[in-house]
Amino acid sequence: MERLGNLLGALSLTVADRLWSVGAAHDLSTSEQAALVTLHAHPDHPASWLGEVLGLTSGGVTRLVDRLVERGLVARTPGSDARQRRLRPTATGTRRARALNAERLAVLDDVLSPLSASEQAALTRALERVVGTLHEEYAPTLRTCRLCDRGACRSGAPCPLDHLVPADV
């Protein structure tokens, strides 16, 4: 297990660096990238919800949202009251989130390209098992999936974390 863990750590860091560069090419920080992709998948949530998903303080998420609004990527819309404004990507933000997802998937396809189709299928099954046991509650899954392309995750099979999604979501 020691070697496997070390190899997994090396792979994780390399993949994270390559995915970070996708956002950097769009002039987005890691948190801006995560916010935009998350809001694309889950629009119309308040900033406090986004802060919980991204693990940011109230002030941190406020500054993040202000930057995204300034850049025309996110809009604040009326909520249930004046303090609970909702966030959603603008048309530009939606296009950017889709581009980020596509470019991220291209990076991941490149990382996996040395594997044969049968090796990729075996790795898919192993990762579904591992990812499916990462959390016991729904809220942390949102952080795990903050950069996921929801369509890609659900193509052919349900998301391995779907068992944690509450019925009212």
Side-chain angles (χ1 to χ4, degrees), residues 42-110:
H42 303 281
D44 298 321
H45 284 279
S48 58
W49 176 87
L50 182 62
E52 287 178 40
V53 170
L54 301 182
L56 297 173
T57 63
S58 176
V61 76
T62 298
R63 288 187 297 277
L64 171 65
V65 170
D66 286 346
R67 287 193 311 269
L68 293 172
V69 168
E70 258 179 45
R71 294 176 68 184
L73 300 172
V74 170
R76 291 182 176 102
T77 61
S80 56
D81 65 45
R83 295 169 298 149
Q84 285 295 318
R85 298 188 48 177
R86 304 294 173 159
L87 305 172
R88 73 173 19 249
T90 61
T92 301
T94 296
R95 284 191 300 277
R96 184 77 54 91
R98 287 181 180 150
L100 288 168
N101 281 337
E103 291 171 33
R104 284 183 66 257
L105 288 176
V107 165
L108 297 170
D109 283 347
D110 184 56

Side-chain angles (χ1 to χ4, degrees), residues 112 114-129 157:
L112 296 170
L115 301 178
S116 69
S118 64
E119 289 170 325
Q120 288 184 21
L123 181 58
T124 298
R125 288 188 300 276
L127 289 175
E128 285 172 344
R129 285 186 62 202

